[in-house]
Amino acid sequence: MNWPHKDLIGIADLEAEEITTIFDLAPNFKEISRRDIKKVPTLRGKTVVLIFYEASTRTRLSFEIAAKRLSADTVAISQTGSAFQKGETMMDAAKNIMAMMPDCIVMRYPYAGMLPRLAKELPCSVINAGDGYHEHPTQALLDMYSMREHFGALKGLNVVMVGDIMHSRVARSNVYGLKKMGARVTLVGPKTLMPPGIESWGAAVSTEFDPVIPDADVIMMLRIQKERIAEHLFPGDREYSSFYGLGKARVAMMKKDAVIMHPGPMNRGVEINSDAADSKRAIILDQVENGVAIRMALMYLCLGGSNVD
Amino acid sequence: MWIKGGRVIDPATKKDAVADIEIEGGIIKDIRQSAKAAKKSECIDATGKWIIPGLIDMHVHFREPGFEYKEDILSGSMAAAAGGITTAVCMANTRPVNDNPSVTGHIMKKVSDAGIIRVLPVGAATKNMEGRELSEMGLMKKAGIVAVSDDGNPIESAAMMRRAMQYASTFGLILMSHCQDRTLSGKGVMNEGRLSSRLGLPGIPNIAEDVMVARDIMISAELGIPVHITHVSTHGSISAVRDAKKSGVPVTCDVTPHNLLLTEERVRTYDTNAKMYPPLRSEADRQALIDCLKNGTVDCIATDHAPHAKDEKDLDFDLAPFGVTGLQTLLPAILKLHYDCRIPLMNILAMVTINPARILGIEGGRIDKGGRADIAIVDPKAEWTLTEDMLVSKSKNSPFIGWKFKGRVTTTIAAGKVVYKA
Ligand SMILES: [Zn+2]
């Protein structure tokens, strides 16, 4: 396998064929997770360090399980807030970690810009587990993979993403990826949650949810953070869910074979109601399962593993 | 002291001719057609060089008192001298803030101890730059301030701004306004637009500057009192200044070299040496600034020299402090604009010499018999590349490191004394 990337910082850096390569490997790894003994020696002797400067139980767990199933040794560091601001700079911290010779650093970081720098400076693989408002490439890969698994292909799919587009690295990475793969994307939300220059993203934009529902193959609801209410970007849960929440009535408007997605964790009753979240159309748990497989495939590629079987 | 055989270029007197200059007691004693000047005393041969007035930078941060690890009056003065600057106007955001005559007095003492260039302090417009109570502008003026400004802590209340302008003008002081509506700039760290959204960095919209410029112009028009808008960066604000000037409002403005030469593209690598307020804007904004450089809307070019220590700038783009250095790149940047945008030398030199002197009501900024002997000698042919080692300031946060420039200061004379020699 000829994989040209040491790191994965953003979907923007990947070619469509490379995304396909990851997808084509994923079923093998998914199968491993379904075995009784869920472990292959692919990355035996490799060290993967998981650094999470923002709380994220599920992404961290997904990466950790993925690494362990490939027999890598994992070490996890969580640090919330900004301890490194008071004294040690991030670069110092990175150099210290590097002196312990890891093979891969998986990092979640509250600000944009550090991960590309780290990737450039450090000889090991650097995988972005979400940086600021920038990108969350593995989430986009697992989202796209879940769509491909369900529909067979991404080309021509009509994907609607709803919610806080402005602050969502998930939305950004998905737009880049889906466009590369030939899908159509529509972004929906109030204007206060739309980023500047959104016209240039190449996605359709709508402030109204209902009219775009009947044409959608995928409806992806984004998590709404309470702090956005504090920032006065919208008036509150009640108004938000009435215009942009996915509940029974809107589910009824969907195409028969359309699916519901959510990157989690969900705010039930805000962006999504239980009627939608627990319906047969929701493939939210498939997303979670695929997350492990996609991350295994990616680490395998970036760390140059062998022996998939 | 004699300076012989150089081309004297002075926007104030519109002089442009080869001449000899005689300096005595800190004053220009004589300017003569270049001939066989007397052999007595010290003589600088300036053949093939330009003799221009020592530059006046009307917006710098020298960080003393309080943040001497970033810069102090001595190191700032040395960097200025190395850039051909003989007058630097330093902002009040020190610790303590320069909002009373004892701080002003302390600064003036340090300036005279350093004894390199003329450093003129700006006093805070309000106490502790909090925008609530007027500062002791009158007493500070006696102690040496030449203007008032809350600079980076823009005055939010329109009523306070109006009062501050009125009160400042009582003492003949101009108010320098840093226009930023902080409810609009928010947590922004770079220009708001496609690129900020692409890079995942919070943006600062143009309107954050535009609305405050509009407000200040309206207050100035109503009172008939001058206001100086510092570091204008958007097409909206520069057009507002242009229109206001046309209708007779006594507004003036300055622009920084970095806003004239760089755009937000410079942020693409997340280099914190491209993080400043106002941020580097779009190419359209830059072009509007350049148009207004040509049509006379821009009065001055000022560096907003804002030194920060390496460790501080080494943080994430979101967390690093705003500001870049600029003293040593002021003249090279101006010459670049002169060559690239075909702006007459006289016009662009006026923006760093006589124009700021007039706006602030200070002496200098000209080469004239009987005037201050503040002079920069420039080798216009020197081609060179800026490296970090060349920077004299304690802080090296220049966005121009690695740039090639044409034209360089070889000697700086302040009050008749050679304070820099390449
Ligand atoms: Zn300022």
Side-chain angles (χ1 to χ4, degrees), chain B residues 336-388:
Chain B
K336 189 167 175 50
L337 290 161
H338 160 63
Y339 294 121
D340 294 0
C341 311
R342 283 185 229 100
I343 299 169
L345 200 52
M346 279 290 180
N347 297 12
I348 205 152
L349 281 178
M351 295 180 199
V352 285
T353 55
I354 189 63
N355 293 4
R358 282 187 185 136
I359 290 168
L360 297 166
I362 57 173
E363 266 187 85
R366 62 199 319 181
I367 298 181
D368 214 1
K369 220 168 159 173
R372 290 174 64 89
D374 287 348
I375 283 166
I377 303 177
V378 177
D379 177 356
K381 288 185 220 74
E383 294 192 37
W384 57 289
T385 302
L386 181 70
T387 62
E388 207 176 293

Short mmCIF file of all heavy atoms in Angstrom, two decimals, chain B residues 336-388:
data_model
loop_
_atom_site.label_atom_id
_atom_site.label_comp_id
_atom_site.label_asym_id
_atom_site.label_seq_id
_atom_site.Cartn_x
_atom_site.Cartn_y
_atom_site.Cartn_z
N LYS B 336 9.20 50.94 -0.80
CA LYS B 336 8.56 49.89 -1.61
C LYS B 336 7.24 50.40 -2.19
O LYS B 336 6.93 50.17 -3.36
CB LYS B 336 8.34 48.65 -0.75
CG LYS B 336 7.89 47.47 -1.58
CD LYS B 336 7.98 46.17 -0.80
CE LYS B 336 7.40 45.01 -1.60
NZ LYS B 336 7.91 44.92 -2.97
N LEU B 337 6.47 51.10 -1.36
CA LEU B 337 5.22 51.66 -1.85
C LEU B 337 5.48 52.72 -2.92
O LEU B 337 4.76 52.81 -3.92
CB LEU B 337 4.42 52.27 -0.69
CG LEU B 337 3.84 51.26 0.30
CD1 LEU B 337 3.48 51.93 1.62
CD2 LEU B 337 2.61 50.56 -0.29
N HIS B 338 6.52 53.50 -2.70
CA HIS B 338 6.91 54.52 -3.68
C HIS B 338 7.21 53.87 -5.04
O HIS B 338 6.70 54.28 -6.08
CB HIS B 338 8.12 55.28 -3.14
CG HIS B 338 8.91 56.01 -4.18
ND1 HIS B 338 8.39 57.05 -4.93
CD2 HIS B 338 10.20 55.86 -4.60
CE1 HIS B 338 9.33 57.49 -5.75
NE2 HIS B 338 10.42 56.78 -5.58
N TYR B 339 7.99 52.80 -5.02
CA TYR B 339 8.35 52.14 -6.28
C TYR B 339 7.17 51.36 -6.87
O TYR B 339 6.84 51.50 -8.04
CB TYR B 339 9.53 51.19 -6.07
CG TYR B 339 10.83 51.88 -5.71
CD1 TYR B 339 11.49 51.58 -4.53
CD2 TYR B 339 11.39 52.83 -6.56
CE1 TYR B 339 12.68 52.21 -4.19
CE2 TYR B 339 12.58 53.48 -6.23
CZ TYR B 339 13.22 53.17 -5.04
OH TYR B 339 14.38 53.79 -4.72
N ASP B 340 6.54 50.53 -6.03
CA ASP B 340 5.51 49.63 -6.56
C ASP B 340 4.24 50.35 -6.97
O ASP B 340 3.58 49.95 -7.93
CB ASP B 340 5.14 48.55 -5.52
CG ASP B 340 6.30 47.61 -5.25
OD1 ASP B 340 7.37 47.80 -5.86
OD2 ASP B 340 6.14 46.70 -4.41
N CYS B 341 3.86 51.38 -6.22
CA CYS B 341 2.58 52.03 -6.49
C CYS B 341 2.77 53.39 -7.12
O CYS B 341 1.80 54.14 -7.28
CB CYS B 341 1.77 52.17 -5.20
SG CYS B 341 1.66 50.65 -4.26
N ARG B 342 3.98 53.71 -7.46
CA ARG B 342 4.30 54.99 -8.11
C ARG B 342 3.71 56.18 -7.36
O ARG B 342 3.01 57.01 -7.92
CB ARG B 342 3.82 54.98 -9.57
CG ARG B 342 4.76 54.16 -10.44
CD ARG B 342 4.37 54.22 -11.89
NE ARG B 342 4.33 52.88 -12.45
CZ ARG B 342 3.23 52.16 -12.63
NH1 ARG B 342 2.06 52.67 -12.31
NH2 ARG B 342 3.30 50.96 -13.14
N ILE B 343 4.00 56.22 -6.09
CA ILE B 343 3.59 57.38 -5.29
C ILE B 343 4.81 58.29 -5.20
O ILE B 343 5.89 57.82 -4.84
CB ILE B 343 3.13 56.94 -3.88
CG1 ILE B 343 1.93 56.01 -4.02
CG2 ILE B 343 2.79 58.15 -3.01
CD1 ILE B 343 1.55 55.30 -2.76
N PRO B 344 4.64 59.57 -5.56
CA PRO B 344 5.80 60.45 -5.55
C PRO B 344 6.51 60.45 -4.19
O PRO B 344 5.85 60.42 -3.14
CB PRO B 344 5.21 61.83 -5.85
CG PRO B 344 3.92 61.55 -6.53
CD PRO B 344 3.42 60.24 -6.00
N LEU B 345 7.82 60.47 -4.25
CA LEU B 345 8.62 60.41 -3.03
C LEU B 345 8.24 61.51 -2.04
O LEU B 345 8.10 61.27 -0.85
CB LEU B 345 10.09 60.55 -3.45
CG LEU B 345 11.15 60.07 -2.47
CD1 LEU B 345 10.88 58.65 -2.02
CD2 LEU B 345 12.52 60.18 -3.13
N MET B 346 8.05 62.71 -2.58
CA MET B 346 7.69 63.84 -1.71
C MET B 346 6.42 63.54 -0.92
O MET B 346 6.34 63.80 0.27
CB MET B 346 7.45 65.10 -2.56
CG MET B 346 8.70 65.82 -2.95
SD MET B 346 9.46 66.60 -1.52
CE MET B 346 10.87 67.35 -2.34
N ASN B 347 5.43 63.03 -1.63
CA ASN B 347 4.14 62.77 -0.98
C ASN B 347 4.26 61.73 0.11
O ASN B 347 3.72 61.88 1.21
CB ASN B 347 3.10 62.28 -1.99
CG ASN B 347 2.81 63.32 -3.05
OD1 ASN B 347 3.53 64.32 -3.15
ND2 ASN B 347 1.77 63.10 -3.83
N ILE B 348 4.96 60.66 -0.21
CA ILE B 348 5.01 59.58 0.78
C ILE B 348 5.93 59.94 1.93
O ILE B 348 5.66 59.58 3.09
CB ILE B 348 5.34 58.23 0.10
CG1 ILE B 348 4.80 57.09 0.95
CG2 ILE B 348 6.82 58.07 -0.18
CD1 ILE B 348 4.45 55.86 0.19
N LEU B 349 6.97 60.69 1.66
CA LEU B 349 7.84 61.12 2.77
C LEU B 349 7.12 62.09 3.70
O LEU B 349 7.34 62.09 4.91
CB LEU B 349 9.12 61.76 2.23
CG LEU B 349 10.21 60.82 1.73
CD1 LEU B 349 11.39 61.63 1.18
CD2 LEU B 349 10.69 59.85 2.81
N ALA B 350 6.24 62.89 3.13
CA ALA B 350 5.49 63.83 3.97
C ALA B 350 4.70 63.09 5.05
O ALA B 350 4.51 63.58 6.16
CB ALA B 350 4.54 64.66 3.10
N MET B 351 4.29 61.88 4.72
CA MET B 351 3.46 61.10 5.67
C MET B 351 4.23 60.61 6.88
O MET B 351 3.64 60.12 7.85
CB MET B 351 2.84 59.91 4.95
CG MET B 351 1.86 60.35 3.88
SD MET B 351 1.16 58.94 3.05
CE MET B 351 0.56 59.74 1.57
N VAL B 352 5.53 60.67 6.82
CA VAL B 352 6.33 60.25 7.99
C VAL B 352 7.21 61.40 8.47
O VAL B 352 8.15 61.18 9.24
CB VAL B 352 7.19 59.01 7.69
CG1 VAL B 352 6.33 57.76 7.66
CG2 VAL B 352 7.95 59.17 6.38
N THR B 353 6.96 62.59 7.98
CA THR B 353 7.78 63.73 8.43
C THR B 353 6.88 64.92 8.81
O THR B 353 6.46 65.03 9.95
CB THR B 353 8.80 64.13 7.33
OG1 THR B 353 8.11 64.41 6.10
CG2 THR B 353 9.81 63.03 7.10
N ILE B 354 6.57 65.74 7.83
CA ILE B 354 5.89 66.98 8.16
C ILE B 354 4.43 66.78 8.55
O ILE B 354 3.91 67.47 9.43
CB ILE B 354 6.05 68.01 7.00
CG1 ILE B 354 5.55 69.40 7.44
CG2 ILE B 354 5.36 67.56 5.74
CD1 ILE B 354 6.33 70.00 8.59
N ASN B 355 3.76 65.81 7.95
CA ASN B 355 2.33 65.63 8.28
C ASN B 355 2.10 65.27 9.75
O ASN B 355 1.29 65.92 10.41
CB ASN B 355 1.68 64.60 7.36
CG ASN B 355 1.59 65.08 5.92
OD1 ASN B 355 2.08 66.15 5.59
ND2 ASN B 355 0.97 64.29 5.06
N PRO B 356 2.78 64.26 10.26
CA PRO B 356 2.57 63.99 11.68
C PRO B 356 2.97 65.16 12.58
O PRO B 356 2.32 65.42 13.59
CB PRO B 356 3.42 62.74 11.97
CG PRO B 356 4.27 62.52 10.77
CD PRO B 356 3.62 63.21 9.63
N ALA B 357 4.02 65.90 12.18
CA ALA B 357 4.43 67.06 12.98
C ALA B 357 3.30 68.08 13.04
O ALA B 357 3.00 68.63 14.11
CB ALA B 357 5.69 67.68 12.39
N ARG B 358 2.67 68.31 11.90
CA ARG B 358 1.57 69.30 11.87
C ARG B 358 0.38 68.82 12.68
O ARG B 358 -0.23 69.59 13.43
CB ARG B 358 1.14 69.56 10.43
CG ARG B 358 2.12 70.47 9.73
CD ARG B 358 1.61 70.88 8.34
NE ARG B 358 2.65 71.66 7.68
CZ ARG B 358 3.02 71.51 6.41
NH1 ARG B 358 2.41 70.61 5.66
NH2 ARG B 358 3.98 72.24 5.91
N ILE B 359 0.02 67.55 12.51
CA ILE B 359 -1.15 67.04 13.23
C ILE B 359 -0.95 67.12 14.74
O ILE B 359 -1.85 67.48 15.49
CB ILE B 359 -1.45 65.58 12.79
CG1 ILE B 359 -1.97 65.60 11.34
CG2 ILE B 359 -2.44 64.91 13.72
CD1 ILE B 359 -2.01 64.23 10.69
N LEU B 360 0.26 66.80 15.18
CA LEU B 360 0.53 66.82 16.62
C LEU B 360 0.91 68.21 17.12
O LEU B 360 0.96 68.43 18.33
CB LEU B 360 1.66 65.84 16.94
CG LEU B 360 1.36 64.36 16.64
CD1 LEU B 360 2.64 63.55 16.67
CD2 LEU B 360 0.34 63.80 17.63
N GLY B 361 1.18 69.10 16.19
CA GLY B 361 1.60 70.44 16.60
C GLY B 361 2.97 70.45 17.24
O GLY B 361 3.19 71.13 18.25
N ILE B 362 3.87 69.68 16.67
CA ILE B 362 5.24 69.66 17.22
C ILE B 362 6.22 70.20 16.19
O ILE B 362 5.93 70.21 14.99
CB ILE B 362 5.66 68.23 17.65
CG1 ILE B 362 5.55 67.25 16.47
CG2 ILE B 362 4.82 67.77 18.82
CD1 ILE B 362 6.10 65.87 16.75
N GLU B 363 7.37 70.57 16.68
CA GLU B 363 8.45 71.01 15.80
C GLU B 363 9.02 69.83 15.05
O GLU B 363 8.88 68.70 15.49
CB GLU B 363 9.60 71.48 16.70
CG GLU B 363 9.68 72.91 17.05
CD GLU B 363 11.00 73.06 17.79
OE1 GLU B 363 12.05 73.21 17.14
OE2 GLU B 363 10.95 72.95 19.03
N GLY B 364 9.77 70.11 14.01
CA GLY B 364 10.51 69.05 13.33
C GLY B 364 9.80 68.53 12.11
O GLY B 364 8.81 69.09 11.64
N GLY B 365 10.37 67.47 11.56
CA GLY B 365 9.79 66.89 10.36
C GLY B 365 10.14 67.66 9.11
O GLY B 365 9.49 67.49 8.08
N ARG B 366 11.18 68.50 9.18
CA ARG B 366 11.55 69.30 8.02
C ARG B 366 13.04 69.60 8.05
O ARG B 366 13.67 69.53 9.09
CB ARG B 366 10.76 70.59 8.02
CG ARG B 366 11.09 71.43 9.26
CD ARG B 366 10.03 72.45 9.52
NE ARG B 366 9.65 72.98 8.24
CZ ARG B 366 8.74 73.94 8.02
NH1 ARG B 366 8.17 74.48 8.99
NH2 ARG B 366 8.42 74.36 6.85
N ILE B 367 13.57 69.92 6.88
CA ILE B 367 14.97 70.34 6.82
C ILE B 367 14.97 71.81 6.45
O ILE B 367 14.71 72.17 5.30
CB ILE B 367 15.76 69.50 5.78
CG1 ILE B 367 15.75 68.04 6.20
CG2 ILE B 367 17.19 70.02 5.65
CD1 ILE B 367 16.52 67.12 5.29
N ASP B 368 15.22 72.63 7.44
CA ASP B 368 15.10 74.06 7.22
C ASP B 368 16.08 74.78 8.13
O ASP B 368 16.34 74.33 9.25
CB ASP B 368 13.66 74.49 7.55
CG ASP B 368 13.19 75.61 6.65
OD1 ASP B 368 13.98 76.02 5.77
OD2 ASP B 368 12.05 76.06 6.84
N LYS B 369 16.57 75.84 7.63
CA LYS B 369 17.50 76.66 8.40
C LYS B 369 16.86 77.04 9.73
O LYS B 369 15.72 77.51 9.77
CB LYS B 369 17.81 77.94 7.61
CG LYS B 369 19.24 78.37 7.68
CD LYS B 369 19.46 79.45 6.63
CE LYS B 369 20.69 80.27 6.99
NZ LYS B 369 21.02 81.21 5.91
N GLY B 370 17.59 76.81 10.80
CA GLY B 370 17.07 77.17 12.11
C GLY B 370 16.22 76.09 12.76
O GLY B 370 15.83 76.20 13.91
N GLY B 371 15.93 75.02 12.00
CA GLY B 371 15.09 73.94 12.54
C GLY B 371 15.91 72.86 13.25
O GLY B 371 17.14 72.88 13.23
N ARG B 372 15.22 71.93 13.87
CA ARG B 372 15.89 70.82 14.56
C ARG B 372 16.74 70.04 13.55
O ARG B 372 16.29 69.74 12.46
CB ARG B 372 14.87 69.83 15.12
CG ARG B 372 14.07 70.33 16.29
CD ARG B 372 13.00 69.30 16.65
NE ARG B 372 13.60 68.04 17.10
CZ ARG B 372 13.91 67.80 18.37
NH1 ARG B 372 13.68 68.71 19.29
NH2 ARG B 372 14.46 66.64 18.71
N ALA B 373 17.92 69.69 13.99
CA ALA B 373 18.79 68.90 13.12
C ALA B 373 18.47 67.42 13.27
O ALA B 373 19.21 66.64 13.85
CB ALA B 373 20.25 69.18 13.43
N ASP B 374 17.29 67.04 12.80
CA ASP B 374 16.85 65.63 12.79
C ASP B 374 16.90 65.18 11.34
O ASP B 374 16.10 65.63 10.52
CB ASP B 374 15.41 65.52 13.31
CG ASP B 374 15.30 65.72 14.81
OD1 ASP B 374 16.35 65.73 15.49
OD2 ASP B 374 14.16 65.87 15.30
N ILE B 375 17.82 64.28 11.06
CA ILE B 375 18.07 63.93 9.66
C ILE B 375 18.33 62.44 9.51
O ILE B 375 18.94 61.82 10.37
CB ILE B 375 19.29 64.75 9.15
CG1 ILE B 375 18.84 66.19 8.87
CG2 ILE B 375 19.93 64.13 7.91
CD1 ILE B 375 19.96 67.16 8.69
N ALA B 376 17.83 61.89 8.41
CA ALA B 376 18.19 60.51 8.08
C ALA B 376 18.91 60.53 6.73
O ALA B 376 18.47 61.21 5.80
CB ALA B 376 16.95 59.64 8.00
N ILE B 377 19.99 59.77 6.67
CA ILE B 377 20.71 59.64 5.40
C ILE B 377 20.42 58.25 4.87
O ILE B 377 20.53 57.25 5.60
CB ILE B 377 22.22 59.86 5.59
CG1 ILE B 377 22.47 61.23 6.23
CG2 ILE B 377 22.95 59.74 4.26
CD1 ILE B 377 23.92 61.54 6.54
N VAL B 378 20.01 58.21 3.61
CA VAL B 378 19.51 56.96 3.04
C VAL B 378 20.33 56.60 1.81
O VAL B 378 20.58 57.45 0.95
CB VAL B 378 18.03 57.14 2.62
CG1 VAL B 378 17.49 55.88 1.96
CG2 VAL B 378 17.18 57.51 3.83
N ASP B 379 20.71 55.33 1.76
CA ASP B 379 21.32 54.84 0.53
C ASP B 379 20.20 54.24 -0.31
O ASP B 379 19.70 53.16 -0.01
CB ASP B 379 22.38 53.77 0.86
CG ASP B 379 22.98 53.18 -0.41
OD1 ASP B 379 22.53 53.55 -1.51
OD2 ASP B 379 23.90 52.34 -0.29
N PRO B 380 19.78 54.94 -1.36
CA PRO B 380 18.59 54.48 -2.08
C PRO B 380 18.84 53.24 -2.92
O PRO B 380 17.90 52.56 -3.32
CB PRO B 380 18.24 55.67 -2.97
CG PRO B 380 19.51 56.42 -3.14
CD PRO B 380 20.34 56.17 -1.92
N LYS B 381 20.12 52.92 -3.15
CA LYS B 381 20.40 51.79 -4.03
C LYS B 381 20.60 50.48 -3.28
O LYS B 381 20.56 49.42 -3.89
CB LYS B 381 21.63 52.10 -4.88
CG LYS B 381 21.34 53.13 -5.97
CD LYS B 381 22.56 53.31 -6.86
CE LYS B 381 22.78 54.76 -7.25
NZ LYS B 381 23.31 55.62 -6.17
N ALA B 382 20.81 50.57 -1.99
CA ALA B 382 21.12 49.35 -1.22
C ALA B 382 19.99 48.33 -1.33
O ALA B 382 18.83 48.64 -1.06
CB ALA B 382 21.35 49.72 0.24
N GLU B 383 20.33 47.13 -1.74
CA GLU B 383 19.33 46.05 -1.76
C GLU B 383 19.70 45.07 -0.68
O GLU B 383 20.85 44.67 -0.56
CB GLU B 383 19.30 45.39 -3.14
CG GLU B 383 18.80 46.38 -4.18
CD GLU B 383 18.47 45.74 -5.52
OE1 GLU B 383 17.96 44.60 -5.52
OE2 GLU B 383 18.72 46.40 -6.54
N TRP B 384 18.70 44.68 0.09
CA TRP B 384 19.01 43.85 1.26
C TRP B 384 17.80 43.04 1.68
O TRP B 384 16.68 43.30 1.27
CB TRP B 384 19.48 44.75 2.43
CG TRP B 384 18.47 45.81 2.80
CD1 TRP B 384 18.15 46.93 2.07
CD2 TRP B 384 17.64 45.84 3.96
NE1 TRP B 384 17.18 47.66 2.71
CE2 TRP B 384 16.86 47.02 3.88
CE3 TRP B 384 17.50 45.00 5.08
CZ2 TRP B 384 15.93 47.36 4.87
CZ3 TRP B 384 16.59 45.35 6.06
CH2 TRP B 384 15.82 46.52 5.95
N THR B 385 18.07 42.02 2.49
CA THR B 385 17.00 41.15 2.97
C THR B 385 16.95 41.25 4.49
O THR B 385 17.99 41.15 5.15
CB THR B 385 17.28 39.69 2.57
OG1 THR B 385 17.40 39.65 1.15
CG2 THR B 385 16.16 38.76 3.00
N LEU B 386 15.76 41.45 5.02
CA LEU B 386 15.62 41.59 6.47
C LEU B 386 15.76 40.23 7.16
O LEU B 386 15.06 39.28 6.83
CB LEU B 386 14.26 42.20 6.83
CG LEU B 386 14.05 42.40 8.34
CD1 LEU B 386 14.94 43.52 8.87
CD2 LEU B 386 12.60 42.70 8.66
N THR B 387 16.68 40.16 8.11
CA THR B 387 16.80 38.96 8.93
C THR B 387 16.53 39.34 10.39
O THR B 387 16.62 40.51 10.74
CB THR B 387 18.21 38.35 8.85
OG1 THR B 387 19.16 39.30 9.36
CG2 THR B 387 18.59 37.99 7.42
N GLU B 388 16.24 38.32 11.18
CA GLU B 388 15.93 38.57 12.58
C GLU B 388 17.10 39.25 13.30
O GLU B 388 16.90 40.13 14.14
CB GLU B 388 15.58 37.23 13.23
CG GLU B 388 14.66 37.38 14.41
CD GLU B 388 14.25 36.03 14.99
OE1 GLU B 388 13.53 35.28 14.29
OE2 GLU B 388 14.65 35.74 16.13
#
